[in-house]
Amino acid sequence: MVNWLSMVYLLISIPFGLVATWVLDSVGLRSAVLLSAWLNMVGSITRLFSVLKFLSLGSQNYWYLFIGQCFCALAQPLIIFSPTKLAALWFPDHQRATANMIASMSNPLGILIANLLSPALVPEGKHIPLMLGISAVPAVTACALATLGIHEKVPPTPPSASATNSNSQPFFTGLKMLLRNKPYIILAVCFGGGIGMFTCFSALLEQILCEKGYSNDFAGLNGALFTVCGLLGAFLLGMYVDRTRKFIESTKICFCLSALASIMFAVTSRFRHQAIMLAITSSLFGFFGFAIYPIAMELAVECSYPVGEGTSTGLIFVVSQIEGVILMILLQALTVRVSEDPFSTCALDQDGALDWTTPVLVQAGLCSGMACFYVIFFHTDYKRLHAETVSADLAKAEDAVTAHVPES
C-alpha cells in the first residue's frame, strides 16, 4: 500500500505526460503552471482529509490519501516539463541553460528538503498528520503565488530571436517530427534511461546498502550527498554551457563520468566498512549525473527545433518513466534472498535481506552501454541557435539597408 503511493507518480506521468506536453505548447506556460499549482494544492489538502479524526473515515482514509496522491502526481509532469519553455520564452540565449538549470534543480532541492524534514517531523506514526499538514503549506502558498502573480504567458518584449519569431509546430505534427528525428530518439532513449537509473538509485539505495551492514542513516546521508553534489554540478555546468555553447561535448563527458561512478558504486557497495568510498562515489554519481539533466533538456530543444519545447522535453520524460518502471522491475527480479546475516541492518518486516550484487552490476553495465552508445552515435546541429543567428543577420541587413535609403 505504501509502495503504491510512490508508484502512482510513475504510472500516471506516462499517459498524462502527453497531455502535459499538449497543454504547454498549445495552451501556454501560464495555464500549465496554474493547473499544476491547483492540482498540487487540491491533492495536498485531500491527503490531509485521510488523517483528520473528526471526519471519521474509517477504512476509507487510505483512499483519500491515494486520491490526493493521484492529484499531486497529475501536477508533476506539468511543472517538470516547464523549465525549457520558461527559459525559451523569458530569457535571452546566453542565459537559457542557467535559467533551465535553476528551474529544473528546484525539484530535487524540494525533494531533499522534504526528505530531511520528514523524519524530524515524524519520530512516531502519530505525528504523520503534522507532516501532511506542514507539506500542504508550501502547496497552498505556491498556488496563491501562481494565481495572483502570473499574469502573462509571454513577456511583453521577447528576449531572443526564437522567442520573437515563435513558430512551434502543432502538437501532433511536432510528435511526428520527433519520431522521425534520429538524434532526438538517441537522446531520448539514452537520457531517459539515465533518469530511470537515477530514480532507481534513489529508491533502492537503502535496500542495497543494508545487506552489507550500513545503517538507514548512512543510506540517507548518501542520498543527500547524491542530491546536493548533483545541484552543485548542474549549477556549474549550466553556467559553463551558457558561455561556451558546448552542449554535446559537456553531456558526453558527464555521461561517461557518470558511468564510471556507477561502476565504482557497484563494486564498492559489495564490501563492508567502505563508508568513505561509498560517500565519495555517491557524490560523484550525483555531481556528474545531475549536471546532464538541464543541459540535455536544452539539447533536446536544439536538435528538435521548431518543435515546441514542452513536446520535445516532455516526451523524454515520458520515455524515462517507462524505462524507470522496466528497470525497477528488472533490478528487483534479479535480487537473491540471503540467509540470516548478523551484519545485515535490513528490517525484519521486509523478510530479511536481499543480495543486490547482480542488480547493481547490471545497472552499471546498462549505464556504461548507454554512455558509449550516446558518445558514438549522437550528433546534431544546434538548430535553434542557427535559426537565431540567421534571424539576427537578416535584422542587421535590414537595418543597414534602411540606414542607406535617402530621405525623400
Side-chain angles (χ1 to χ4, degrees), residues 25 167-169 173-175 177-178 301 304-312:
D25 284 336
N167 58 346
S168 296
Q169 298 296 314
T173 303
L175 276 180
M177 291 174 66
L178 292 179
V301 177
S304 63
Y305 186 83
V307 177
E309 295 86 0
T311 305
S312 58

Side-chain angles (χ1 to χ4, degrees), residues 175-205:
L175 276 180
K176 290 178 183 177
M177 291 174 66
L178 292 179
L179 294 176
R180 298 192 191 105
N181 188 328
K182 181 181 174 183
Y184 178 83
I185 291 174
I186 293 172
L187 181 66
V189 172
C190 294
F191 180 57
I195 297 176
M197 288 180 191
F198 272 59
T199 302
C200 292
F201 180 85
S202 300
L204 302 174
L205 183 59

Side-chain angles (χ1 to χ4, degrees), residues 299-333:
L299 189 54
V301 177
E302 292 293 341
C303 75
S304 63
Y305 186 83
V307 177
E309 295 86 0
T311 305
S312 58
T313 56
L315 190 59
I316 288 181
F317 186 78
V318 172
V319 170
S320 75
Q321 299 303 285
I322 296 172
E323 292 186 76
V325 170
I326 294 171
L327 193 60
M328 187 82 78
I329 295 171
L330 173 65
L331 294 182
Q332 292 183 85

Side-chain angles (χ1 to χ4, degrees), residues 93 160-162 164-165 384-400:
D93 57 350
S160 65
S162 60
T164 304
N165 306 310
R384 181 173 60 175
L385 287 175
H386 177 70
E388 289 176 339
T389 302
V390 171
S391 180
D393 290 343
L394 287 174
K396 288 178 182 178
E398 289 174 1
D399 290 342

Side-chain angles (χ1 to χ4, degrees), residues 7 14 21 35 55 58 66 72 92 95 100 113 174 242 318 351 354 376-377 397:
M7 282 292 290
I14 294 171
T21 60
L35 180 58
L55 291 178
F66 186 78
C72 294
Q95 295 177 356
N100 195 348
I113 293 171
D242 264 336
V318 172
D351 298 325
L354 297 171
I376 295 169
F377 294 105

Side-chain angles (χ1 to χ4, degrees), residues 357-370:
T357 302
T358 301
V360 293
L361 290 173
V362 167
Q363 184 175 11
L366 288 172
C367 190
S368 302
M370 286 183 180

Side-chain angles (χ1 to χ4, degrees), residues 31-98:
S31 299
V33 173
L34 284 174
L35 180 58
S36 176
W38 276 92
L39 283 170
N40 202 44
M41 183 187 73
V42 170
S44 298
I45 293 174
T46 305
R47 289 189 305 190
L48 261 181
F49 291 161
S50 67
V51 292
L52 295 177
K53 292 182 179 180
F54 66 86
L55 291 178
S56 302
L57 296 172
S59 60
Q60 299 298 315
N61 63 349
Y62 176 79
W63 292 109
Y64 275 82
L65 182 65
F66 186 78
I67 291 169
Q69 199 80 341
C70 289
F71 277 118
C72 294
L74 287 170
Q76 184 191 34
L78 287 162
I79 207 67
I80 284 183
F81 297 177
S82 296
T84 47
K85 195 77 170 178
L86 174 70
L89 294 178
W90 288 83
F91 292 87
D93 57 350
H94 64 279
Q95 295 177 356
R96 281 197 296 244
T98 302

